[in-house]
Amino acid sequence: MSELVKSAFREYYFKHAARAIEAPDAIESREFGYAQLGVPGMVRHLSFRSVGELVATLVREVPSDVYCSNALYRFPTLAMQEKQWLGADLIFDIDGKDLDLPCVPSHSYPVCAACKRVSSPIGDDDDDEKSKEYSCPACGGRKAEQLISIPCARCVEGSKKEARRLVEFLTGDLGIDKGRVNVYFSGNNGFHFHIKDDSYRPLDSQARSDLVGYLAGVGLMAESIGVRRSPQGEFVKFPKSGLALGWRKKVADRLKIDQSSAVRLTHILKEKGGYAGFKAELDRMTREMGVRIDPQVTTDVHRVFRMPGTLNSKSGLAKVKCDLDRLDSFDPFTEACLLGSAKTKVKVKTHVKFRLKGEPFNISKETAELPAFAAVYLVCKGLAEAV
């Protein structure tokens, strides 16, 4: 990582860390870790007695990324098997790259596997992507080793849609108080959820996995909706507990049925070709209505999670809290863009378009003078180098 990024990060932590960093409760029982600019791996098994102690370390070390455990430990600085786990907060990660959004090809920049040349996006969400093939403009290579994506407003809206859906599940299906649901922009392309409810802390990995399965709509039985089978064939018999709650209600509403709709559900069953066909349609339906979250983040009870108020080295943007009542209007490209505006020269690797702090950038020149926040963003993305 360049000196430009390190200088910008240092200025941020020096000026803003004291008020921007959101310390977790029971800070002395948490494990902390951070990655260093240009250094592989992570410094882990750290402990702080106060947020002031933590801030002093950030200002001194200027980390690229800062993490805090969702778990509480009796001895957070010891090796994992010796920490003595006391429970873990419930957390979720919605990552825009996992949502298969149609706009992504139009703002993904391929990097040639042979010569490392970065070129302009080869796809557009209005075009037939299958008809497009990558060819490096420098060496003619046909293989891209990676795609560098600059999230757009449609990406953010896609992530917000999943976030709103997760809030509905947590507050509606699980009955979690809305005030205990804390939502943060991740600092790059998604949202993090921290559930501040002590009753979930004792859950082990399996229980959290079961919860993820429920939220994602995995494994709902056809019998739960009233479709059953016997040696004599398929038939409809609604559950005695009804269709008024949870996934039963969601599916019933989608199928436009209730406890009095045996004839309609029988017709749907026949239309889908019997039990197997109905179950396949049910699986498709629940996947569509479920929430797409990263299961590993939620099920890992020893995970270190990006800390609110710290910078993300993939973008130079900060992880910032989003008020649930104004999630719709939240603009991460403005509200999470907290670096300075000093003019900085960079060498841009390809023609690039993006928007930060309400300002559009459309850069086609090889060398450009940009505000520091925009220059750092491109360098962190791998689309520019400091001059």
Side-chain angles (χ1 to χ4, degrees), residues 27 115 126 189 267 335 345 352 378:
I27 187 172
C115 71
D126 294 325
N189 187 19
H267 176 73
E335 298 181 52
K345 281 188 177 182
V352 62
L378 290 182

Side-chain angles (χ1 to χ4, degrees), residues 165 169 173 211-218 220 224-225 243-254 282 285-291:
R165 188 177 297 174
F169 270 96
D173 292 41
L211 177 55
V212 168
Y214 179 84
L215 296 172
V218 175
L220 185 65
S224 297
I225 312 303
L243 302 173
L245 297 171
W247 270 109
R248 290 178 179 178
K249 176 173 172 50
K250 298 179 200 303
V251 173
D253 289 346
R254 176 68 70 93
L282 182 63
M285 191 185 308
T286 54
R287 282 197 304 271
E288 181 183 303
M289 293 191 293
V291 188

Side-chain angles (χ1 to χ4, degrees), residues 166-219:
L166 180 53
V167 171
E168 290 174 4
F169 270 96
L170 295 175
T171 58
D173 292 41
L174 302 185
I176 298 175
D177 185 272
K178 188 176 179 180
R180 298 182 181 275
V181 179
N182 293 270
V183 184
Y184 302 82
F185 172 64
S186 70
N188 187 36
N189 187 19
F191 291 91
H192 292 168
F193 279 63
H194 296 232
I195 310 305
K196 301 297 179 69
D197 188 330
D198 294 353
S199 62
Y200 286 91
R201 282 182 174 171
L203 296 182
D204 62 13
S205 292
Q206 184 56 56
R208 292 167 197 250
S209 179
D210 293 342
L211 177 55
V212 168
Y214 179 84
L215 296 172
V218 175

Side-chain angles (χ1 to χ4, degrees), residues 67-82:
Y67 305 93
C68 173
S69 68
N70 65 320
L72 288 83
Y73 301 103
R74 182 164 282 114
F75 305 111
T77 60
L78 298 184
M80 193 60 69
Q81 65 271 20
E82 299 172 353

